[in-house]
Amino acid sequence: MSLVTGPGRASISASSLPTELQLSIAAHVKYIQTLDKRKDELEYHLTEHLRINGIYWGLCALHLLGHPEALDRDQVVDFVLSCQHENGGFGAAPGHDAHLLYTVSAVQVLALCDAMETLDERGKGDRSSLPGSTSSESGILGVGRYLAGLQNRRTGTFAGDEWGEEDTRFLYAGMLALSLLNKLHLVDVDLAVDHIISCANFDGGYGASPGAESHAMQVLVCLAALSVLGRLDAVSDKEKLGVWLSERQVDGGGLNGRPEKLEDVCYSWWVAASLSIIGKLHWIDEEKLTRYILECQDPEQGGIADRPGDMVDVFHTHFGIAGLSLLGYPDLVQVDAA
Amino acid sequence: MGRYEGNPVWDDVVPIPQEEGEGALAQIAYTDEYVEAMGYLRAVMAAKEHSPRVLDLTEHVISLNAAHYTVWLYRASTILALDIPIDKELEWMNEVALENQKNYQIWTHRQTLIDHIFPTLSSDPAAAQAFADAESAFMAEMFEEDAKNYHVWGHRQYIVRKFNLFDSDAELKSIEALLHEDVRNNSAWSHRFFLVFSNPAYTTAGSRATEHDPKIPDAMIDRELAFAQAAAHEAPQNQSAWEYIRGVLRKGGRELATLEGFAGEFVRIPEGGEEDIRSSHALDFLADAWSEKGELDKADMALRLLGEKYDRIRKNYWDWKRGLLRGAKV
Ligand SMILES: [Zn+2]
């Protein structure tokens, strides 16, 4: 999947705004389908380090649009498996180092394709050296062990790779993938929950690490991790958090990620999904947000941008559609906020 | 044969074909350069070569595509393997960071190298101080480009912890300078809270940002409140300052009502007349202070004003809060 931006631009000007804005479903499906046919563009190569994420974003958006068949399932699965390393982890593309974030995307794509068993059948993870596992489930176990090995057993959080950069994003990603693999027992869940609690800030939000500024994406990963782990009780003050989140909505209807920052479709998803997890989505003006996201689409060539007038890309296309699904937009498959 | 050479999964790397028109040639040259450099990078990585020429090669690849995480990891491992002094690397990294504001790999790289030299560095306090000063100076330069860069603030906390700068006057002063420039810089407020309320010299170890810490001296709470109150006067609608005030009060275990007079300076609601609200955050603050004191009718009036007039986009929230008040009344 190409991460190339364009060719479209979110192109509805305020003057031509129709009273009834519609999501251009067919255009978006076509836009995602053609992304991978743009290998002649420089940006295709420069974004190779995100390739597997791009596949996840594109495929997930297609599922929400009700067109999962628009990408060839076997090709997708083959590509994902070609990114795997002997240690069980996945890189962003063949030849890129294994990293937690790409491993999670790989697992998510396989889950979307209902192809998790291919890890056992054809995965590269070294299965022979795993004592105590039956050979039939060992490919999956290999991925689970790679992920579990990235947990810091002192603090509970996760590193992104063997170099140890830590971020609550990684904790969530690791937990999500382990739960999809049904291997949560390999990690210390209580320690991870404690770590998330220690990332809560005085303003009600969460940051990337203890003491780091509250940030909408970090809030979502903390909440989603707690949700996956069934530990939302660890959010001590849901009202304060809901207040901080709802304060992210600006007059135009979109949401920003931090005070005094610009609104953006991806932040709109992170904030709205967080509000939905704590049951407070109705604290923002949902109609205005729906309208904002629709203003960010290119209705002719497909794709969604970060804000009106900007170039579209698959990242914001995915988050825009996920946001609309969360808001109950008709004809979309219901998204899971966590 | 290298690990990547001849690997069929790399068949999809195709250079941009010749195109008509301006700029096409430059693009083609650039792509060829990148594709070629990557070919060599893959080859040296496969051979596990750690040599000075690998530093040149990785520098080249990073100059073409700083977001490529694998090349950073390989560069760090090469520097560690060669065990060379990192001064020049830091200088070079400063340039790359200034040119790539959104790049995060460079900060991991920087911390990997600082961790590596720290044991030696910390045995010489003067050298450690000089190093920390240089890091601060560089971050100040980064903040000139974007004073809210999340990665830079993350690095700042790393440096504060690593070099124990909690009591550093310069650190506090530099945050004040940033807030002087933009009193709405939420990142700077957040860092100030971290600096003041996790200082091991006078806080309870492990005290959460969201809880009362009885160990903190009253004078410190007073100082922080005065600072944030002055900022609220400067920009009454600045959410960051009001959040900070609430955060400090909670750290100090003080009630909101202790600042009722201060918040009241922003809100005038005469009997029967038109109200004058200079800050919706002040009105919100008063609503909580009043409900804390049991003055529920006043609190309800404030919440109604917020939902109907001063913060209409969140009307549902204000209505929900009014519902809580009604629940408290019966
Ligand atoms: Zn965005």
Side-chain angles (χ1 to χ4, degrees), chain A residues 1 51 77 129 136 183 194 246 288 310 315 324-325:
Chain A
M1 182 65 52
R51 188 78 67 237
V77 171
S129 64
S136 65
K183 294 283 176 273
D194 285 346
S246 59
K288 270 190 154 179
D310 286 353
F315 178 79
L324 289 173
S325 160

Side-chain angles (χ1 to χ4, degrees), chain A residues 166-184:
Chain A
E166 291 177 354
D167 184 323
T168 39
R169 251 183 334 148
F170 302 150
L171 191 160
Y172 160 64
M175 290 302 186
L176 175 70
L178 285 161
S179 91
L180 289 171
L181 294 164
N182 208 8
K183 294 283 176 273
L184 273 177

Side-chain angles (χ1 to χ4, degrees), chain A residues 52-57 80 100-111 177:
Chain A
I52 207 163
N53 302 54
I55 291 186
Y56 170 68
W57 294 323
V80 167
L100 173 114
L101 290 181
Y102 310 113
T103 305
V104 174
S105 285
V107 170
Q108 284 177 296
V109 170
L110 293 176

Side-chain angles (χ1 to χ4, degrees), chain B residues 4-313:
Chain B
Y4 301 97
E5 276 177 14
N7 184 337
V9 289
W10 277 91
D11 282 347
D12 64 341
V13 180
V14 194
I16 294 177
Q18 194 120 23
E19 270 179 69
E20 303 296 317
E22 268 182 38
L25 264 180
Q27 271 203 345
I28 291 159
Y30 184 63
T31 309
D32 285 349
E33 186 185 351
Y34 182 67
V35 168
E36 188 196 18
M38 285 304 297
Y40 280 91
L41 177 69
R42 287 191 290 276
V44 296
M45 283 176 62
K48 296 194 169 56
E49 175 182 330
H50 294 294
S51 65
R53 73 174 183 185
V54 168
L55 295 181
D56 293 340
L57 176 61
T58 50
E59 181 175 337
H60 182 209
V61 173
I62 287 167
S63 76
L64 297 173
N65 187 9
H68 193 298
Y69 68 100
T70 296
V71 66
W72 283 104
L73 300 186
Y74 199 68
R75 184 175 177 87
S77 69
T78 302
I79 290 170
L80 298 190
L82 295 175
D83 202 21
I84 50 175
I86 70 162
D87 335 21
K88 269 177 73 185
E89 184 72 2
L90 285 169
E91 236 172 75
W92 170 77
M93 264 190 282
N94 292 357
E95 277 171 44
V96 179
L98 284 164
E99 281 163 21
N100 297 276
Q101 294 283 328
K102 292 206 165 157
N103 181 281
Y104 70 87
Q105 287 88 353
I106 193 167
W107 301 101
T108 318
H109 184 69
R110 200 175 184 97
Q111 288 163 19
T112 302
L113 298 183
I114 294 174
D115 287 345
H116 176 66
I117 60 160
F118 188 74
T120 323
L121 198 55
S122 56
S123 63
D124 178 354
Q129 182 64 49
F131 188 91
D133 288 347
E135 287 295 287
S136 296
F138 165 60
M139 286 187 275
E141 226 180 307
M142 287 295 291
F143 287 143
E144 273 171 33
E145 302 290 321
D146 174 9
K148 299 171 184 174
N149 186 316
Y150 203 77
H151 308 304
V152 184
W153 284 106
H155 186 65
R156 185 144 198 140
Q157 298 199 338
Y158 164 86
I159 292 290
V160 167
R161 284 195 177 100
K162 196 104 197 159
F163 294 87
N164 192 17
L165 302 181
F166 289 101
D167 272 324
S168 153
D169 220 30
E171 182 67 13
L172 198 61
K173 283 270 165 348
S174 79
I175 297 308
E176 272 163 30
L178 281 167
L179 286 174
H180 186 72
E181 223 157 84
D182 175 12
V183 73
R184 295 168 190 269
N185 184 340
N186 193 63
S187 308
W189 282 104
S190 181
H191 187 75
R192 185 180 178 103
F193 196 93
F194 161 77
L195 203 60
V196 174
F197 296 111
S198 19
N199 186 335
Y202 55 77
T203 62
T204 307
S207 171
R208 303 206 190 285
T210 50
E211 66 190 9
H212 174 211
D213 181 354
K215 239 182 110 180
I216 296 173
D218 267 350
M220 190 60 74
I221 301 289
D222 291 339
R223 184 190 80 181
E224 290 308 298
L225 286 175
F227 180 81
Q229 283 173 255
H233 273 299
E234 192 188 330
Q237 201 46 34
N238 177 9
Q239 186 196 334
S240 302
W242 289 97
E243 283 293 354
Y244 196 83
I245 290 170
R246 285 171 179 263
V248 175
L249 287 174
R250 200 171 30 212
K251 267 289 165 198
R254 300 187 189 177
E255 297 194 323
L256 296 189
T258 57
L259 288 189
E260 182 184 343
F262 160 73
E265 293 171 38
F266 299 86
V267 172
R268 239 187 308 269
I269 311 178
E271 291 278 346
E274 177 82 359
E275 76 279 357
D276 176 19
I277 309 293
R278 286 167 56 222
S279 164
S280 67
H281 302 301
L283 191 55
D284 179 11
F285 189 96
L286 284 172
D288 286 341
W290 287 332
S291 95
E292 204 177 75
K293 289 167 69 185
E295 299 176 10
L296 301 186
D297 289 333
K298 279 168 86 177
D300 185 68
M301 178 232 4
L303 295 174
R304 184 177 53 75
L305 281 173
L306 283 162
E308 290 177 359
K309 207 161 165 186
Y310 295 98
D311 189 20
R312 287 204 304 235
I313 202 163

Side-chain angles (χ1 to χ4, degrees), chain A residues 264 266 306 315-316:
Chain A
D264 182 323
C266 64
D306 55 355
F315 178 79
H316 290 95

